[in-house]
Amino acid sequence: MNIALIAHDTKKELMVQFCIAYCGVLSRNNLCATGTTGKMVEQATGLNIQRYLSGSQGGDQQISARISCNEIDLLLFFRDPLTAQPHEPNERDLLRLCDVHNIPVATNIATAEALIHALERGDLDWRQLVNPA
């Protein structure tokens, strides 16, 4: 599965801790992330992560492009709902694209854990249900 990781500045350490906790599951998948988030997770876990630009420099849009091309299967986007983000319109577009393309999204730790456990059990192989071979 192709998993994208994004975290606002105030949630980056939470993303790192999440990835440390679920390193085994994540290591069996293809990971990509916005720049700083990817760098921090990679350094803390040793996971192989394809890094894009930082979110404010267009990394969100790069991941959006991959979603549009059906190249992302799951998005973990740890958002800070209490702090206004200067690139919020790009983030809204990113979340809208996930809805359009039926991409499971976690915007907080509780949902991320539910999705990661479903992934571990094999419950997220939904593309085969929608597009059987």
Side-chain angles (χ1 to χ4, degrees):
M1 225 176 213
N2 297 315
I3 302 173
L5 309 173
I6 303 173
H8 285 157
D9 288 345
T10 59
K11 300 293 181 172
K12 287 189 190 317
E13 187 56 37
L14 180 62
M15 178 66 80
V16 168
Q17 294 304 315
F18 176 85
C19 291
I20 289 169
Y22 295 103
C23 192
V25 177
L26 293 170
S27 68
R28 296 188 294 271
N29 295 276
N30 300 315
L31 305 175
C32 67
T34 50
T36 308
T37 300
K39 181 179 180 181
M40 289 175 69
V41 170
E42 202 171 48
Q43 288 175 342
T45 64
L47 290 167
N48 184 26
I49 299 175
Q50 180 180 0
R51 285 188 277 154
Y52 293 108
L53 297 171
S54 68
S56 62
Q57 295 177 343
D60 297 339
Q61 292 171 316
Q62 289 176 300
I63 290 176
S64 291
R66 290 201 59 199
I67 290 168
S68 295
C69 296
N70 289 314
E71 296 174 354
I72 298 294
D73 302 306
L74 174 67
L75 174 63
L76 302 178
F77 182 4
F78 289 3
R79 302 174 67 215
D80 178 354
L82 302 177
T83 305
Q85 303 297 322
H87 50 286
E88 223 165 301
N90 296 334
E91 293 171 1
R92 266 195 318 272
D93 289 342
L94 173 72
L95 295 172
R96 182 185 59 78
L97 281 172
C98 288
D99 289 340
V100 168
H101 293 277
N102 290 314
I103 305 301
V105 178
T107 59
N108 59 59
I109 189 83
T111 309
E113 286 188 329
L115 287 175
I116 222 69
H117 288 297
L119 177 63
E120 193 169 28
R121 288 189 310 267
D123 295 344
L124 282 183
D125 202 5
W126 62 271
R127 288 193 193 258
Q128 287 185 355
L129 297 173
V130 177
N131 303 312

